[in-house]
Amino acid sequence: MSDFSLYTVREATMRDAKAVAAVHNASLQAALEPWCDPAAIPAVPVEKRAAYWKEAIEFIEPQVHVACMGDEIVGFVGFDRSRDPKTPNTMGEIWAIYVHPDHWNGGAGLALWDAAREALIDEGCTHVSAWLPIGCERTMHFFDAAGFKREMNTARTTPSAQGRIEEVRVKRALD
């Protein structure tokens, strides 16, 4: 059983961008390692990724919350309204959720999901979706455990820094 009191979740500030970028890089590298050759995973410099997250935090697109253990940022979630065309204004989306590998299975991801869920409900969202890489079982398992259902008819291939990624949308009601 996880002890969620280990982690506090708060809105990200501009000063958090570099730590968010470092968590993003470490988590992405560890998550992709089982199904990609680590040498084939292009490393995005922390400074470049930090610039993206700094802009996201500044303009609140997406909203970004961080999970902290003491003063250390160990994870983050980016969320907002769905970017998918033709979705109702009541559809939210988890744009990104990453936890440093040293904190996997410790409750930080669930604490981040809970914070995003509450914020989306407060904004009037009734449902939430996310796009997940089909081959990443860890990610799929997390979203399955959080009550998301896969929509296999949405499978698509998208280009990314890691090459072409097969994705599927998952969705659930916000309770």
Side-chain angles (χ1 to χ4, degrees):
M1 203 65 181
S2 300
D3 181 1
F4 300 116
S5 65
L6 293 175
Y7 303 100
T8 56
V9 177
R10 62 172 173 77
E11 290 182 20
T13 67
M14 300 283 279
R15 290 187 313 246
D16 298 329
K18 189 170 184 178
V20 166
V23 166
H24 193 168
N25 277 356
S27 180
L28 191 59
Q29 183 78 26
L32 292 176
E33 216 169 82
W35 51 287
C36 288
D37 174 8
I41 302 170
V44 176
V46 170
E47 294 76 21
K48 182 176 181 178
R49 211 178 281 281
Y52 169 82
W53 287 111
K54 188 174 185 178
E55 185 176 309
I57 293 165
E58 180 179 6
F59 294 106
I60 313 170
E61 192 173 336
Q63 297 176 59
V64 181
H65 288 188
V66 293
C68 302
M69 178 179 266
D71 292 335
E72 179 188 8
I73 292 174
V74 301
F76 72 94
V77 61
F79 61 93
D80 214 325
R81 302 288 176 171
S82 175
R83 297 171 288 180
D84 292 333
K86 299 181 183 177
T87 55
N89 198 33
T90 56
M91 176 66 75
E93 181 180 350
I94 302 296
W95 292 24
I97 186 166
Y98 291 92
V99 172
H100 193 282
D102 293 346
H103 294 271
W104 284 354
N105 302 317
L110 186 55
L112 289 163
W113 156 239
D114 284 343
R117 183 181 53 77
E118 288 176 20
L120 288 168
I121 290 170
D122 288 347
E123 287 189 10
C125 291
T126 59
H127 290 79
V128 63
S129 66
W131 285 95
L132 308 179
I134 293 172
C136 190
E137 287 304 314
R138 172 178 289 284
T139 302
M140 291 295 217
H141 177 72
F142 176 83
F143 279 87
D144 287 345
F148 285 77
K149 301 295 179 211
R150 299 174 195 188
E151 296 182 317
M152 294 312 288
N153 63 334
T154 64
R156 67 182 186 187
T157 303
T158 58
S160 77
Q162 292 75 36
R164 299 184 69 72
I165 303 284
E166 297 292 325
E167 295 180 313
V168 66
R169 185 173 56 203
V170 295
K171 190 166 112 177
R172 67 160 279 172
L174 292 171
D175 307 317

